[in-house]
Amino acid sequence: MSSLSTHVLDTASGRPAVGVPVRLYRGDVVLATGATDEDGRIAELAPTLEHGTYRLWFDVAAYAGPDSFFPEVSVTFTVADERHYHVPLLLSPFAFSTYRGS
């Protein structure tokens, strides 16, 4: 089984994005919820994941405000092997990026 963590960074301020609500979905089913800590991290959003496709949903408006250009961000990824998955999100006022971290 694999595990999952995430990290949200505000690249405009150069600081962690604190308090961002995050949900993990498989299909339409919510598997886990959390919010980023003072370091912008959720160290263990899902301690075990089976192989398959998942979606991370980030409530950016809860962090950046209701007028945020990107009020929410969804990232779909596939678990294909049995190791830890780290999926960071880099935010700025008019762009975002994500990648498979380590």
Side-chain angles (χ1 to χ4, degrees), residues 85-100:
Y85 283 72
H86 182 67
V87 182
L89 175 65
L90 307 177
L91 289 174
S92 70
F94 300 105
F96 67 88
S97 180
T98 188
Y99 58 95
R100 181 175 179 178

Side-chain angles (χ1 to χ4, degrees), residues 8-102:
V8 183
L9 296 170
D10 182 334
T11 59
S13 70
R15 300 182 158 275
V18 178
V20 177
V22 179
R23 292 185 203 141
L24 175 66
Y25 290 87
R26 186 162 190 188
D28 292 330
V29 177
V30 177
L31 300 178
T33 62
T36 57
D37 64 15
E38 64 280 346
D39 195 32
R41 297 178 182 273
I42 301 176
E44 193 174 89
L45 185 59
T48 59
L49 292 175
E50 297 177 357
H51 292 194
T53 301
Y54 297 85
R55 181 169 51 98
L56 271 175
W57 176 83
F58 299 88
D59 185 356
V60 177
Y63 168 76
D67 295 330
S68 174
F69 187 71
F70 296 107
E72 59 185 54
V73 172
S74 287
V75 177
T76 302
F77 64 99
T78 301
V79 171
D81 52 27
E82 298 188 9
R83 59 182 174 169
H84 181 73
Y85 283 72
H86 182 67
V87 182
L89 175 65
L90 307 177
L91 289 174
S92 70
F94 300 105
F96 67 88
S97 180
T98 188
Y99 58 95
R100 181 175 179 178
S102 56

